[in-house]
Each structure stands twice: as structure tokens, then as C-alpha cells.
Amino acid sequence: REDRLNLDSDATRPSVRPRHAQTPYAPLGGGPYTRDNRHRIGLHYLISISLSCRCMAQLGIQRQFAFSGDRVEFVDCNTALYVHGNGLATLDILSLENQQFLPNTLECPLGISAFATNADNNIIAIAPRAAQPSIHIYKYPGVVIEKVLQQGKDLEYRRLAISHDATRLCAISGPFDSHLYLWSLETTDIISVVQIDLGAVTSCTWQFLSFDPKNPLSISAAGSNGLVIWKVEKVIDGHQLQKLNNTLPGAYLIGDGLQTNGNNNAISALCWTQNDLVIAVNTTHIVMEFEAYSGELARRFRLTGVANFACIFVALAADKLLLTFSNGSVVQVSTNTIQNAECTIDFAIDEGTEAFVRYSSCILCPNGEKLLLSGPGVMSMSPLLHSDEMSTSGKRILVRDCHDGPILAMVTRTVAHGEPKPLLITAGADGALRAWNESGTVLAKHTFRKNTEPIYKPENDISITSIAAATRFDSLFVVGTSTGSIYCLCLLNENGAHATSGSIEISSLGCLRLSCKAISGTLFQTDSNILAVICESDAYVVDTTLKNDSSSLIVLAHMAFGRSICVCSLWYGKYLLVSFTDQTVSAFLLTDSMCHESKLHSLDKIWTFEAHAPLGKMSRLSIGEKNFGFCATSPRSCQIVICIASGGMDSKDSFVNSKIESTHEKGIMSIEISSCGKFLATGGMDGRIILWEILHEQKTSIVELRRLNLHVGPIVSLCFSPDTFAIYSSGSDGGLFA
């Protein structure tokens, strides 16, 4: 009692040893715990422990998996940079692993509209998409903004470029009423602004913007309406951007049989050379050489003997041109062999044999030894040797092989043979399945197509609209497609066993066509092979039991709802809950009795209740054996609906319906509850991920713990890892995060 009354007195405060020297009862958060001072820290640490339990879960970026296919730039000799979701991802081209993620700095982000790098000075410039945006300058590998360039007046910037001496930055705004801006990176002041619409009737798509490597006062811009070279000139009150008259605008005509006006003026590849030339290649494979200082057309010729693919890269070394095409082929052309304004290919360095791959961008690595090609969902490298006869020093290296477009569904699988290793299965709108390990490596892939034509056609892809994992078998899962079919699939290793070690392949165990309409949802019963399939206004119950390493996929029950459109479903024992677009939820009981005519089990409706919102996703709560509850969300609302039935599923009268406001700015697309039942994750139309804690005190409620803005646009799918240590998210932007 004396010590309690004199806690603030140094004379009466007992001396203590360091925490490491105390008993193992040291409290969380620091501070010794001894018999002498336990009375004065007891209440304080009881409060601290209670608060720390609420805030224990941290939410940070662990890894980014996919590649959407945008441009790639180098920030140093071995690090490439590309847009991923709502930020920039870095890639080490030596280890082929992602190293870092630079998130968008805006509080309510809309994505990154443009970025540029300077590999010699390790500078990154990022232009977030916003009204009157600012350009943020970073010094890699730092993640702190060092400079901000302002005074822009347009909606967004479409292209950025940094001069080779890192003293200036230029930007093109758009998409309409395009302007060219020029800043000083030393003072962050704007130097000059000029309108560059070229008098075109339609808006121009500017694909290229760059400085002359030898002269930071010369800028080239090229795109769908041609090529323009700009000079920075000093005037009385500052500087101005002066367009050279002899470059190639949209209405320029060239005689002698080479027509380059109109749509043929679209530039698909461009480069500066050491001998003061600007080389441009248009969509009809016409190569044009312009004088960098005057803009005059010095020479032009047509490439012959090339396939009908767009040229995406051009570089000049001595008298030889190196060109890359959208099919991945790399060719060499000698400019000394031009006859009759035509030039033939010397030899092909890389044939580009990928039948279903189309590249859109190519860049030369800073060391000049490799070409880095990128396209929708794919990235590869073609090594080069330094010699008079350019040749490959090895086979092409596939750096990234991801989905072409958004990932519509995903699920985690853990195969318990030997050491359990988790796998992430993703399904995309491109009709492809990918199996990823926890380090982000694709172990297996499979694509559903209507036919096997050698020429790729996007209309042949069958979109995978849903995916469900069986809880009884670790490696079994089912996918639903846009053609109304379901496929029962399994992960196999190279020996044909159900395992994740060694080489993995995705094997089909059976297929069943249920409808001509797209499958909108698939869901397994807990600890069962019974599968519920939702298809617009129909619900099916399918048995997926394995027999002799194959699945017969037998339809057990079928219910047609007429004009009512199903949205999602949820299993609770033998009860199947179905949400409809008319804002109702109905419970159906799968009975053991069979109809003599159809020989199918019946789905008897137990009850229906008004949800007062079109529930787009439902996820089951763990609240005891006698009670039943679920969380639900709607893409039209920012609220989370919690429904609790204290009397179980027998009566809807015991339902308690509560709504909790979230910090999502738009509707909520995805909701997922962890396997431990303690955490809930939501993904919104605004691209935001929120982690919640589920509390079961006097009543079930949720508390927001963390939030992240990682995606641009709606989050399509969420799922927890089996150990609940990670959340996987996929968005309509093609991004995939852990």
C-alpha cells in the first residue's frame, strides 16, 4: 500500500534489472515484471493486451504475381519496372523475381496513367490518374517522393520522358486536346507548354515520347498520326517548343510509290541513333530516317520478306537494323543492301514460334545483351551476342506467363503428400488456369478453347467464370465456364500422384454440360463431394465422387426458378441458400427422396426472407453448432449485411438482420471469411481491400483492422491462404496480389 501511494516518488520506486534478467512473466510491450512493481503495471498492461489483440493483424504487400502487359522500363542495369494494379512493380532480370512494389501515393487512387525512368540516374517519374495531376519523382531504390512537378492543366498524362542527363522531363496529356509539357527537374518549374493535336479531326494516340540522347533540347513524339520533332528555343521571356516543319504529320505525302499518308502514318517503332538520325517504322513496314536537327526525311525504304506482324522495336548498330515484331520474331537488316526503295532481311535472330503470344512492347536492356519483350500477360527475354553477325546466345527465356485479362476466380489448394505446400489456382477471362506456388512461380497451366486452330483468335477462348475447391480431396477442384459446362480437375505430379512436389500438371477428371448459359457460381458442401452450381435462373446439385481416378459428375437435383435470376449460393449442411436479384434469399433442403419421373432428388423450399439488397456474395459465419449466420455484400451498396439465426435453419423468424457501414467508396464486390473464422476480408468496386475482425460478444459484429488500395477498378475475387497468413486478391485490372 505504501508503494501504491508513492508511485511517483523516485525514493520509494524499487530498482529493477533489465527485462532480459527478469522472470518469464515479462509483459507485452516492454517493462519488467517483478514482485515489487507488478501492482503498478497490472491495469496498464491488461488494457494494452486487450487493445493489441484487436490490432494484431497487419496487412502489407507480400508479393505481386501477375503481369498485365503494359510497357516495361529499366530503372538500373538489372531492374525493370512496370505498372501492376495501382502501383509499380520491380523485376530483377537476373533472378527473374519481383523485388519491390511502389504503391500509388494518392489517398483515393485511380491508377497510374504514365511513368518514365532514367536508368543511369535511377530516377522514376510517376503520373497518377487524376484531374490536374502532379508528377512525382523518386530516386530508386527509395520510396520517398523527392520532387513534385505541378502546373499541369489537363485531365491526365499519357506519356512521360526523362532526358538522359536527368535535367528535364516532358509529358504529353490527353486523350483529347493534347499538350506537350516541359519541366526542369532541377528547379521543378515548368519551362514551356504547346498544343500538339496536329490539326487532326480525331484524337491522336501518342505511343512514343523521348529526348535526343545527345541533346536534351530535342524531343520526338510519335503515334497514330505520324512523327513530330520539337526543339526547345530560348525567347525573351523564357523558352518555347518549336515544331520542325519537315517531319511527318498526318497530312504529309511522299511520292515515288511509297504512300505514307492517312492511316499508314501510324508509327509502331521509333529510335534515336548516334549519327543524329530518328528512325521510325510505320504499320506497313516502311522505315523512315529523319535528320534529328532539321527534321528532314533523309531516306525511306520498305521491308520485304517479313510476316504480317507489327514492328514493335527498332535499333541501329553501325549499318544494321535490329527489328522486333509482335509475334516475337527478331530480325537483322543491313541498310547497305537497299535496292529500289526496298530492303530484305539478312537473317532471323529469333523465329518467334509462340503461336498464341502477341507482344506489344520491346526494350533493349541497358547492357545491350538482351531484349525484353512484353505483351498481355506475358514477358520474355531474347539474349543477344555482341558481334558483327548478331545472333542469340541462348534460347528465349519466359519471364512471366500470366493471364491475358482479368482474373475472375481463384482458390487455394494444399496437397498433403509429404510436406504440405499451398498452391493458388487462378482462372481468367482468357479461358486459362494457372497454378502458382507461394513464391509466385507458375507450376502448371491449362487453357480451355473451342478449337485448336494454330492461329490464335480471342473469340476461341472459353472464359472461366467460377471455381470451387473440394474440402475432402486436397487436389480436387471444379471450374464453371461461359459455355455452361463444369470441369472436374485435379493436380498431379510427374508420377501421376496427387502431390505438389516435382512437375505439376492439371488433369481433367470429367466434364458435364448443364446449360447453354454461363455458369455464375460453384460451391462444394463442407466435407463432401456434393457441388452446387448456379446458372442464371437454374440451380443444380452435382455429385463429383471419384471412381477409378475419374469423376462421373452425376446431377442429383435441379431447380428452375423461372424469371428469378440467381446471384450466389451458400451451403449449410443439406440446406442450400440462394440469393436472387429481387433482393430475396431462399433456403432449400436437399432431400433423400427421389422423383420417379426425373429420378432426381428434390430441393424443397423451407423459407424466404427479404434481404432489402441484392446480395452479390455470401460467406458463412462460425457461431456454434445450433446457430447459423452469414455475411453478405452487394455491388450496389457499401454496407455489410450480417444475418444470424439463433434457432438454426428451421425457421426464418429467428433471423436477426444487421447492416454495418464500411469505408468502401463504392459497392462491395467480394467477401471472404478465413478458415479460422476470426477474420473477414472485403474487396470493393473502388479497388480497396479491407481486413475485418469478427467479434462474438453480446452479438456478432465486425471491426475494421486495416485497408489497402492495390487495384484499379473492381476487386473480382478474394481468398485466404490455408494458414490464414495471407489474403489473395485479383482485380479487373489484371492485378494479382498476396
Side-chain angles (χ1 to χ4, degrees):
R1 291 192 182 119
E2 291 178 356
D3 287 342
R4 292 176 191 171
L5 295 175
N6 298 280
L7 289 180
D8 296 329
S9 173
D10 293 333
T12 59
R13 184 172 299 167
S15 60
V16 296
R17 293 173 293 171
R19 192 171 88 174
H20 300 288
Q22 303 301 327
T23 64
Y25 300 102
L28 296 176
Y33 185 90
T34 63
R35 294 174 58 90
D36 297 327
N37 66 355
R38 60 185 175 183
H39 54 269
R40 66 182 177 92
I41 63 172
L43 180 61
H44 169 71
Y45 281 104
L46 280 175
I47 298 174
S48 299
I49 292 172
S50 177
L51 292 176
S52 65
C53 290
R54 292 282 176 88
C55 304
M56 189 179 300
Q58 301 293 326
L59 194 62
I61 301 170
Q62 182 184 37
R63 185 175 298 276
Q64 61 274 356
F65 288 82
F67 172 66
S68 61
D70 207 342
R71 294 186 311 113
V72 179
E73 300 285 348
F74 279 91
V75 69
D76 60 30
C77 292
N78 299 316
T79 306
L81 202 69
Y82 58 90
V83 174
H84 184 80
N86 191 33
L88 292 174
T90 61
L91 173 69
D92 188 339
I93 63 171
L94 298 180
S95 63
L96 304 183
E97 293 184 357
N98 290 104
Q99 302 294 330
Q100 196 175 5
F101 182 78
L102 303 176
N104 198 334
T105 54
L106 289 183
E107 184 67 23
C108 300
L110 297 174
I112 294 175
S113 61
F115 76 99
T117 63
N118 184 303
D120 295 333
N121 297 276
N122 311 124
I123 295 177
I124 304 173
I126 300 176
R129 182 174 286 108
Q132 298 185 2
S134 301
I135 299 176
H136 303 155
I137 308 298
Y138 297 83
K139 182 73 172 180
Y140 185 79
V143 295
V144 179
I145 299 175
E146 294 197 348
K147 298 178 181 179
V148 178
L149 307 182
Q150 297 177 338
Q151 303 177 19
K153 302 296 182 182
D154 293 85
L155 179 62
E156 64 182 52
Y157 299 109
R158 307 304 299 271
R159 288 290 180 265
L160 301 180
I162 302 174
S163 63
H164 284 252
D165 60 359
T167 60
R168 289 173 174 83
L169 181 142
C170 60
I172 291 180
S173 62
F176 300 99
D177 194 23
S178 301
H179 286 74
L180 177 63
Y181 294 86
L182 182 65
W183 281 273
S184 169
L185 287 178
E186 297 173 340
T187 63
T188 69
D189 294 329
I190 194 164
I191 297 175
S192 182
V193 182
V194 64
Q195 188 173 358
I196 57 169
D197 58 3
L198 300 177
V201 178
T202 59
S203 62
C204 177
T205 302
W206 297 100
Q207 298 289 345
F208 304 97
L209 180 65
S210 59
F211 283 90
D212 186 342
K214 298 166 59 177
N215 181 14
L217 301 179
S218 183
I219 303 170
S220 69
S224 60
N225 282 16
L227 166 71
V228 179
I229 299 177
W230 301 83
K231 291 290 185 181
V232 182
E233 297 181 349
K234 289 186 178 181
V235 292
I236 297 177
D237 56 347
H239 296 79
Q240 70 175 10
L241 287 164
Q242 182 64 39
K243 181 177 67 176
L244 300 183
N245 295 326
N246 293 326
T247 49
L248 186 67
Y252 194 83
L253 286 174
I254 297 179
D256 64 14
L258 289 181
Q259 183 181 6
T260 57
N261 63 312
N263 294 330
N264 293 337
N265 270 359
I267 304 299
S268 61
L270 181 142
C271 74
W272 297 82
T273 68
Q274 294 297 324
N275 53 352
D276 301 326
L277 291 175
V278 178
I279 299 179
V281 183
N282 68 6
T283 54
T284 58
H285 297 165
I286 296 177
V287 181
M288 294 162 283
E289 297 179 355
F290 296 90
E291 297 288 347
Y293 291 102
S294 64
E296 294 183 356
L297 181 63
R299 184 170 56 169
R300 60 197 178 276
F301 55 89
R302 187 190 302 272
L303 294 173
T304 60
V306 296
N308 190 23
F309 295 103
C311 179
I312 60 173
F313 173 80
V314 60
L316 179 66
D319 61 341
K320 294 173 183 173
L321 280 177
L322 183 67
L323 301 108
T324 306
F325 295 88
S326 59
N327 67 334
S329 60
V330 183
V331 301
Q332 177 182 296
V333 174
S334 177
T335 58
N336 294 330
T337 60
I338 300 175
Q339 295 182 357
N340 299 324
E342 291 186 349
C343 184
T344 59
I345 296 175
D346 291 349
F347 63 91
I349 298 176
D350 196 325
E351 296 292 344
T353 57
E354 299 98 333
F356 299 104
V357 174
R358 291 295 176 265
Y359 296 99
S360 58
S361 178
C362 179
I363 187 173
L364 185 66
C365 296
N367 56 15
E369 297 178 353
K370 299 174 184 177
L371 287 174
L372 186 62
L373 296 86
S374 60
V378 65
M379 187 190 304
S380 63
M381 283 193 302
S382 288
L384 301 172
L385 283 178
H386 289 288
S387 63
D388 293 336
E389 296 290 335
M390 289 186 180
S391 62
T392 56
S393 59
K395 294 182 179 180
R396 173 168 297 177
I397 304 171
L398 189 62
V399 180
R400 289 291 179 269
D401 185 11
C402 308
H403 292 278
D404 180 4
I407 297 172
L408 301 181
M410 56 184 175
V411 71
T412 55
R413 295 278 65 198
T414 302
V415 183
H417 285 263
E419 182 183 357
K421 296 181 180 180
L423 289 178
L424 176 68
I425 312 296
T426 57
D430 57 352
L433 285 172
R434 295 286 189 274
W436 313 71
N437 63 9
E438 55 187 359
S439 63
T441 303
V442 176
L443 300 180
K445 58 183 179 180
H446 178 77
T447 301
F448 294 90
R449 288 193 174 93
K450 297 177 182 178
N451 51 47
T452 56
E453 294 181 10
I455 300 177
Y456 172 70
K457 295 180 180 179
E459 58 269 19
N460 290 332
D461 291 340
I462 301 175
S463 297
I464 302 173
T465 54
S466 64
I467 187 170
T471 56
R472 177 171 292 185
F473 295 97
D474 293 327
S475 58
L476 183 68
F477 62 98
V478 169
V479 299
T481 66
S482 58
T483 58
S485 300
I486 60 172
Y487 293 83
C488 187
L489 304 167
C490 186
L491 295 174
L492 301 176
N493 64 11
E494 56 187 358
N495 299 321
H498 300 246
T500 58
S501 59
S503 178
I504 302 298
E505 67 177 17
I506 299 175
S507 177
S508 177
L509 302 179
C511 172
L512 178 63
R513 180 74 179 270
L514 295 174
S515 173
C516 60
K517 300 175 183 178
I519 303 296
S520 58
T522 52
L523 183 67
F524 273 99
Q525 264 187 344
T526 305
D527 298 327
S528 172
N529 295 321
I530 304 301
L531 176 75
V533 181
I534 301 297
C535 179
E536 199 168 290
S537 58
D538 294 89
Y540 300 87
V541 178
V542 181
D543 185 4
T544 64
T545 302
L546 295 177
K547 296 179 181 179
N548 298 325
D549 291 334
S550 65
S551 179
S552 56
L553 296 178
I554 301 173
V555 177
L556 299 179
H558 172 227
M559 173 74 72
F561 303 108
R563 296 183 179 180
S564 300
I565 306 299
C566 307
V567 181
C568 62
S569 62
L570 181 67
W571 279 109
Y572 179 73
K574 290 186 176 182
Y575 294 91
L576 178 64
L577 271 70
V578 181
S579 169
F580 298 92
T581 54
D582 60 359
Q583 304 185 11
T584 62
V585 177
S586 298
F588 300 89
L589 176 63
L590 179 63
T591 62
D592 296 330
S593 60
M594 297 180 64
C595 177
H596 294 289
E597 297 179 358
S598 62
K599 295 184 178 180
L600 295 177
H601 295 264
S602 61
L603 284 171
D604 297 339
K605 182 185 289 188
I606 305 301
W607 47 254
T608 298
F609 81 94
E610 296 286 340
H612 303 292
L615 303 182
K617 297 286 184 180
M618 295 188 295
S619 191
R620 181 178 171 179
L621 289 168
S622 299
I623 53 176
E625 297 180 357
K626 296 182 179 181
N627 299 328
F628 167 75
F630 64 90
C631 290
T633 59
S634 170
R636 299 183 185 178
S637 173
C638 297
Q639 295 178 331
I640 300 174
V641 180
I642 299 180
C643 296
I644 304 294
S646 58
M649 293 289 294
D650 296 333
S651 175
K652 69 172 183 177
D653 298 332
S654 60
F655 263 96
V656 178
N657 190 354
S658 61
K659 296 182 179 180
I660 298 176
E661 293 288 342
S662 70
T663 54
H664 288 286
E665 297 181 355
K666 298 181 181 179
I668 303 175
M669 286 285 293
S670 303
I671 185 170
E672 187 75 13
I673 294 178
S674 63
S675 58
C676 64
K678 296 181 180 179
F679 300 105
L680 180 144
T682 56
M685 298 278 289
D686 54 1
R688 178 174 296 172
I689 301 169
I690 300 181
L691 179 65
W692 308 76
E693 182 184 5
I694 302 175
L695 303 177
H696 301 290
E697 297 174 349
Q698 294 181 353
K699 64 177 183 178
T700 300
S701 62
I702 57 176
V703 177
E704 180 179 327
L705 298 179
R706 297 288 186 272
R707 72 180 83 164
L708 283 177
N709 295 314
L710 295 180
H711 294 274
V712 179
I715 294 177
V716 181
S717 181
L718 287 172
C719 70
F720 280 88
S721 63
D723 55 10
T724 321
F725 287 157
I727 303 173
Y728 300 102
S729 68
S730 67
S732 59
D733 55 1
L736 177 61
F737 290 92

